[in-house]
Amino acid sequence: MSKSITILGIESSCDDTSAAVLKDGKILANIVANQSIHELYGGVVPELASRAHQQNIIPVVDQAIKRAGIKKEDIDAIAFTRGPGLMGSLLVGTSFSKAFALGLNIPLIEVNHMQGHILAHFIEEGIEKPSFPFLCLTVSGGHTQIVLVNDYFDMQILGETIDDAAGEAFDKAAKIMGLPYPGGPLIDKYAKEGNPNAYKFSKPQIPDLNFSFSGLKTGFMNFINTEKSKNENFVNEHLADICASIQSTIIDILLAKLESASERTNIKQIAIAGGVSANSELRIKLNKRQKELDWKVFIPKFEYCTDNAAMIAITGYYKFLKNDFSNQTAAPIARYDLNSKANEL
Ligand code: KG4
Ligand code: ZN
């Protein structure tokens, strides 16, 4: 039997510091340190994020190696997120990875974070994986994309947001209502008791498969301000209905574009990635589409949907198999397009 391959994955692109150990496609450990400091500010503060990464990175890696039950000498390569993301945050993971790889005298593998979100579907979990080609809707606080996935490293963006991401729309709506960050899970929770048709918000008219959420945010803010000027307790008194209405507007915008993408490509294998894939209405409506439109829907385990290093390690594993290594000169790339080759940037 050929030698097994152990990859250490490092993720630090936004506000989660994560390290994972992957052996032959299976996750042995996936440690994520969240940064609660941002709750106070209603969004991620880049300067604070990089400082917290700096504090967290060594304990997180140490814990991942211990939890995996390996020794650092067992690691065959280090896969790290080179971008896209916040420059200061990326610098911490990149610098750490380079130094550790140098110390261990093992190769480095750079990973595009967006590719990582998609390839999280290939972590060995004993569940069915999508087969190529499939469509992936990546929806999180930083991203909203529909990607045609032809192969592990042959991906084409069919549509993406021209302004805010879907998770950002959730978080900003929550902030307008006075809820803490991140507001997406809270809106999801309160929406369960509410009527999604209580209030109507106008949906953006964006051509093709692209998205826009900034107009919705402005419309929502004007609506709340107008209602609060009449009744200052409006939000508290109608929280569930407001949450259900804004949530169903966001989810319907996502699903309408996903349906168009499926019709245009005639692909019915639909994968979801990113933190917003935890949303219960999205999951319920996808299940309905599965029956009505004959879709086959793939949603990874939640810990592999939100930002995590397991997805970076699995992408690194596939790159390792094709000898696609990086080197010590690799610098972070804040705006790293899914289709671009790093050496062209
Ligand atoms: O993938 P992720 O952990 O980090 C980013 O790359 O952004 O996604 C976090 C985003 C946040 O905007 C959060 O509000 C949203 O995912 N989110 C949700 C839910 N759980 C997390 N949005 C709606 N409903 C949820 N249940
Ligand atoms: Zn992400």
Side-chain angles (χ1 to χ4, degrees):
M1 215 180 107
S2 59
K3 183 190 172 299
S4 70
I5 298 165
T6 301
I7 308 280
L8 173 70
I10 304 287
E11 157 64 30
S12 73
S13 65
C14 189
D15 59 339
D16 296 311
T17 319
S18 181
V21 175
L22 177 126
K23 188 173 178 188
D24 299 331
K26 288 202 183 74
I27 291 297
L28 301 183
N30 180 40
I31 308 293
V32 183
N34 307 114
Q35 303 179 358
S36 54
I37 180 89
H38 307 289
E39 282 167 19
L40 300 171
Y41 299 92
V44 176
V45 184
E47 174 65 24
L48 296 179
S50 24
R51 287 174 192 221
H53 282 306
Q54 190 77 38
Q55 284 171 341
N56 292 340
I57 189 115
I58 291 182
V60 162
V61 171
D62 197 41
Q63 211 183 327
I65 290 173
K66 284 199 182 106
R67 178 84 54 91
I70 62 161
K71 295 191 292 299
K72 55 185 189 308
E73 292 72 26
D74 298 328
I75 302 167
D76 293 298
I78 298 178
F80 70 99
T81 304
R82 188 172 179 189
L86 301 171
M87 187 45 103
S89 293
L90 291 166
L91 267 167
V92 177
T94 306
S95 310
F96 171 85
S97 302
K98 284 187 194 176
F100 204 28
L102 200 61
L104 292 171
N105 196 23
I106 55 173
L108 266 177
I109 303 169
E110 65 191 57
V111 172
N112 179 308
H113 178 89
M114 301 308 296
Q115 225 161 34
H117 269 300
I118 296 171
L119 295 185
H121 287 271
F122 294 91
I123 293 169
E124 290 295 346
E125 280 289 307
I127 51 173
E128 198 182 349
K129 301 185 186 100
S131 51
F132 302 115
F134 64 91
L135 297 178
C136 186
L137 172 71
T138 312
V139 264
S140 73
H143 348 281
T144 301
Q145 290 186 336
I146 298 179
V147 180
L148 167 61
V149 187
N150 291 312
D151 201 353
Y152 296 106
F153 297 103
D154 177 1
M155 301 180 183
Q156 190 193 341
I157 299 172
L158 301 182
E160 62 188 329
T161 184
I162 57 167
D163 42 55
D164 293 350
E168 213 175 342
F170 272 102
D171 297 337
K172 286 182 175 171
K175 191 176 177 186
I176 292 165
M177 290 187 280
L179 299 174
Y181 173 86
L186 293 171
I187 292 186
D188 191 358
K189 183 176 137 197
Y190 298 128
K192 290 197 169 81
E193 310 294 322
N195 170 11
N197 299 313
Y199 306 105
K200 290 270 169 271
F201 303 108
S202 52
K203 293 190 181 127
Q205 303 301 318
I206 305 294
D208 300 322
L209 297 172
N210 287 330
F211 300 90
S212 165
F213 290 101
S214 74
L216 179 63
K217 175 199 66 191
T218 311
F220 184 73
M221 190 165 62
N222 292 340
F223 162 76
I224 295 288
N225 287 341
T226 308
E227 293 300 327
K228 272 172 76 174
S229 68
K230 292 184 260 174
N231 168 11
E232 66 177 71
N233 289 324
F234 173 74
V235 172
N236 282 345
E237 288 170 12
H238 302 276
L239 188 61
D241 283 348
I242 307 171
C243 287
S245 302
I246 190 69
Q247 171 170 287
S248 81
T249 309
I250 298 171
I251 299 301
D252 287 348
I253 293 170
L254 294 174
L255 286 172
K257 295 287 181 173
L258 200 50
E259 273 177 34
S260 306
S262 169
E263 274 165 25
R264 283 184 199 197
T265 56
N266 203 22
I267 293 174
K268 288 173 182 288
Q269 286 204 93
I270 313 286
I272 311 293
V276 181
S277 46
N279 184 267
S280 40
E281 183 171 345
L282 178 62
R283 286 174 178 233
I284 292 167
K285 287 187 168 164
L286 279 169
N287 258 326
K288 266 181 81 185
R289 302 291 191 285
Q290 193 148 245
K291 293 184 192 109
E292 291 165 2
L293 302 174
D294 199 23
W295 282 6
K296 196 161 170 47
V297 175
F298 300 87
I299 308 179
K301 241 167 93 177
F302 184 61
E303 63 171 305
Y304 304 144
C305 279
T306 53
D307 284 352
N308 67 86
M311 70 187 200
I312 304 305
I314 188 77
T315 309
Y317 174 68
Y318 283 106
K319 285 195 157 188
F320 188 101
L321 295 179
K322 59 186 195 108
N323 289 319
D324 186 353
F325 297 110
S326 189
N327 61 48
Q328 287 285 335
T329 62
I333 305 169
R335 299 177 71 84
Y336 188 175
D337 192 273
L338 188 58
N339 296 327
S340 55
K341 300 258 179 299
N343 55 11
E344 291 167 2
L345 293 163

